[in-house]
Amino acid sequence: MPSERKVLLQENHRRSFTSTLIIVEQLLIEIEDLMVSQYKTCCFEIKNDLDSEKISHNLKVIEEARKQICNLAEKYNTDMRTQSMQRIIDVKKTKIWEILCDAKSKKQKGFGEFPLKLIKEFDEDIEELMNIAEKIKY
């Protein structure tokens, strides 16, 4: 039941609480997505070890949590943020680039000396993946 009472937080607290609710909501979306979607990946497998009863229960709990987030957002007058899909993709592409740069052979020294005969091929393979990822448009 939505709260009738409005609470006015200071700007700093409202901004912080808005960010908190956004993060929790995004995590709930990720959990829901994992339970209802199947992913085909090359490097990891998500073993669905939840039975349908638990999944159904969790989906109901997630919906309940979303309603509570909406109630709290209304009660504490948090800011509605509009997120640009372009910006989200740009940020994720940047993160991919950073991770791949850190995977190159010269950054692997903390794991021991990288085999000299593999450096060129390894770095070229990473560059190829970086170039492919760069093709994602927004």
Side-chain angles (χ1 to χ4, degrees):
M1 181 167 179
S3 173
E4 299 294 323
R5 186 171 157 247
K6 298 278 186 184
V7 177
L8 296 176
L9 296 175
Q10 292 179 357
E11 178 66 27
N12 291 351
H13 296 132
R14 190 178 78 225
R15 200 169 39 248
S16 173
F17 191 53
T18 298
S19 294
T20 297
L21 292 179
I22 288 170
I23 291 167
V24 170
E25 195 168 31
Q26 288 173 336
L27 291 169
L28 290 169
I29 289 168
E30 289 176 19
I31 292 170
E32 179 182 45
D33 191 39
L34 286 170
M35 289 191 300
V36 299
S37 300
Q38 290 194 332
Y39 294 92
K40 183 179 179 186
T41 66
C42 299
C43 299
F44 71 95
E45 176 183 1
I46 297 176
K47 179 182 176 188
N48 186 351
D49 51 0
L50 297 177
D51 59 42
S52 60
E53 186 177 308
K54 285 181 184 170
I55 291 173
S56 178
H57 169 81
N58 289 343
L59 293 174
K60 289 176 187 170
V61 171
I62 288 169
E63 187 55 36
E64 181 182 358
R66 281 188 174 135
K67 287 177 184 174
Q68 179 65 3
I69 289 170
C70 290
N71 290 341
L72 293 173
E74 185 178 333
K75 178 178 180 178
Y76 293 99
N77 196 32
T78 61
D79 302 321
M80 171 60 85
R81 297 211 180 135
T82 302
Q83 295 186 343
S84 161
M85 179 71 81
Q86 292 179 10
R87 180 72 179 122
I88 292 168
I89 291 171
D90 182 40
V91 167
K92 292 195 181 287
K93 280 179 63 176
T94 300
K95 189 67 177 169
I96 290 169
W97 184 84
E98 290 172 357
I99 290 168
L100 289 173
C101 280
D102 287 345
K104 288 186 177 180
S105 62
K106 64 182 169 186
K107 299 276 187 148
Q108 299 288 323
K109 289 181 181 165
F111 303 104
E113 199 61 39
F114 201 86
L116 290 174
K117 63 182 180 181
L118 292 178
I119 290 174
K120 184 178 184 311
E121 180 180 0
F122 184 81
D123 287 346
E124 286 174 354
D125 288 340
I126 290 176
E127 283 290 333
E128 183 177 353
L129 182 53
M130 291 172 77
N131 290 333
I132 292 168
E134 189 58 35
K135 293 178 186 177
I136 297 171
K137 295 182 179 183
Y138 55 89

